[in-house]
């Protein structure tokens, strides 16, 4: 049987790169999308079965040009992982419209554009969409007016996709990662924030990129063939708990 093909956006590093590597280990081909050309080139070098595609997912013209190139290169698309994201945290008063748009255009517009553009290919293969939101889309926190709102939008967008695309055999699910030590997270997490997360997370630690990738790849596999419209927090239990966990532990 021919290999399946996944598109992974934001594949040059972090969760996207770990997801690419896991798909390859499971025998898939991967179209690696990123807008950071040098990082993408370095990441894709030596990854057999993967091809890099330089594309900004927030740009409708680039998306429209890239998806047919991927389709031609691999002869079909079985899964789309909308992972590209930006974290730009700030208070409401300091979130000017340009900052708001910068977050929305990648985190929310990008998911919409990539999903809509790959739909004919996904329908043809009865494929799967996995959107990467965040625990910040499930719970409000300070400084996340744009980021948290964009991720809550991704959660709802996933449910809209599942509702409408199920009849074509296309599944759509959403993953909400807890904190993972990637470049994105470390740019906004001080040691104090890291300690506070450890306190609030029942498993008492950050997740790894591979732990997020495992759930993404599962959701794209035939083992998840009856799973759609779901929002899965891969967060060490963070979302399930309330106040007082450190005190109760002690
Ligand atoms: N790391 C965490 O703690 C964490 C927690 C919750 C959710 N997430 C989400 O997981 C996803 C991956 O995060 P990460 O931590 O691996 O980030 P990262 O910054 O390490 O990697 C993100 C990649 O996306 C690319 N990218 C950004 N905007 C893009 C665009 N418009 N077009 C194409 N590529 C673009 C970047 O160049 C980068 O290579 C993001 O959606 C993020 O919001 C991360």
């Amino acid at each position: 049987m021919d290999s399946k093909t996944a598109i992974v956006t934001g594949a040059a590093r972090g969760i996207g790169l770990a997801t690419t590597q896991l798909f390859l280990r499971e025998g898939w081909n991967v179209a690696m999308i990123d807008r950071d050309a040098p990082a993408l080139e370095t990441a894709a070098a030596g990854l057999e079965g993967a091809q890099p595609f330089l594309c900004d997912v927030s740009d409708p013209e680039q998306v429209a040009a890239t998806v047919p190139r991927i389709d031609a290169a691999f002869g079909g698309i079985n899964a789309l992982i909308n992972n590209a994201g930006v974290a730009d945290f700030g208070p409401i008063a300091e979130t000017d419209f340009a900052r708001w748009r910068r977050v929305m255009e990648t985190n929310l517009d990008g998911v919409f554009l990539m999903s809509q553009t790959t739909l004919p290919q996904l329908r043809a293969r009865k494929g799967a969409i996995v959107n990467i939101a965040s625990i910040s889309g499930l719970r409000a926190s300070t400084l996340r007016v744009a980021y948290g709102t964009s991720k809550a939008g991704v959660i709802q967008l996933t449910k809209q996709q599942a509702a409408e695309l199920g009849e074509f055999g296309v599944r759509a699910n959403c993953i909400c990662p807890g904190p993972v030590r990637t470049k994105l997270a470390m740019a906004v997490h001080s040691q104090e924030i890291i300690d506070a997360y450890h306190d609030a997370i029942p498993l008492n630690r950050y997740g790894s990129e591979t732990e997020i990738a495992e759930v993404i790849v599962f959701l794209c596999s035939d083992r998840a063939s009856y799973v759609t419209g779901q929002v899965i927090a891969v967060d060490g239990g963070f979302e399930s708990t309330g106040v007082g966990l450190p005190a109760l532990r002690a």
Side-chain angles (χ1 to χ4, degrees):
M1 200 183 86
D2 288 342
S3 271
K4 291 180 175 179
T5 297
I7 298 178
V8 179
T9 72
R13 62 179 197 229
I15 294 167
L17 180 56
T19 302
T20 297
Q21 290 164 333
L22 187 56
F23 269 124
L24 294 174
R25 285 203 294 277
E26 304 256 320
W28 289 61
N29 295 317
V30 180
M32 302 172 70
I33 284 185
D34 211 284
R35 67 177 171 187
D36 181 338
L40 181 62
E41 212 53 51
T42 307
L47 290 181
E48 205 179 320
Q51 281 185 45
F53 292 85
L54 188 63
C55 172
D56 183 332
V57 298
S58 71
D59 182 327
E61 286 175 13
Q62 290 188 36
V63 170
T66 302
V67 171
R69 285 178 52 222
I70 294 172
D71 192 26
F74 293 105
I77 299 164
N78 299 76
L80 168 66
I81 315 307
N82 284 307
N83 166 77
V86 296
D88 186 348
F89 291 2
I92 292 172
E94 288 167 28
T95 301
D96 60 16
F97 189 61
R99 192 179 204 182
W100 170 269
R101 282 302 310 146
R102 205 161 46 244
V103 174
M104 290 297 164
E105 68 192 11
T106 288
N107 292 9
L108 190 52
D109 300 354
V111 176
F112 171 75
L113 288 170
M114 282 299 304
S115 303
Q116 188 185 53
T117 310
T118 53
L119 194 51
Q121 288 81 11
L122 291 173
R123 280 181 59 163
R125 293 271 181 106
K126 296 195 188 310
I129 298 171
V130 177
N131 297 322
I132 311 306
S134 169
I135 50 171
S136 294
L138 293 168
R139 280 185 165 189
S141 183
T142 53
L143 310 182
R144 288 162 170 80
V145 63
Y147 184 77
T149 305
S150 74
K151 293 302 191 178
V154 170
I155 291 169
Q156 181 62 18
L157 175 55
T158 307
K159 293 177 182 175
Q160 296 293 149
Q161 291 171 334
E164 206 173 308
L165 305 181
E167 66 181 299
F168 307 118
V170 175
R171 298 179 297 105
N173 291 290
C174 184
I175 288 182
C176 294
V180 178
R181 286 176 182 269
T182 63
K183 193 170 177 184
L184 174 145
M186 287 307 106
V188 286
H189 289 192
S190 63
Q191 189 56 47
E192 204 181 353
I193 292 174
I194 294 169
D195 294 344
Y197 267 122
H198 283 209
D199 273 352
I201 291 172
L203 290 182
N204 217 216
R205 62 174 176 84
Y206 276 35
S208 72
E209 291 90 335
T210 306
E211 287 175 311
I212 310 299
E214 287 285 355
V215 186
I216 295 171
V217 173
F218 164 72
L219 286 171
C220 295
S221 76
D222 291 340
R223 287 169 290 161
S225 54
Y226 201 52
V227 182
T228 193
Q230 295 307 299
V231 179
I232 301 175
V234 184
D235 68 348
F238 176 82
E239 206 264 331
S240 66
T241 57
V243 294
L245 188 61
L248 288 168
R249 263 198 205 115

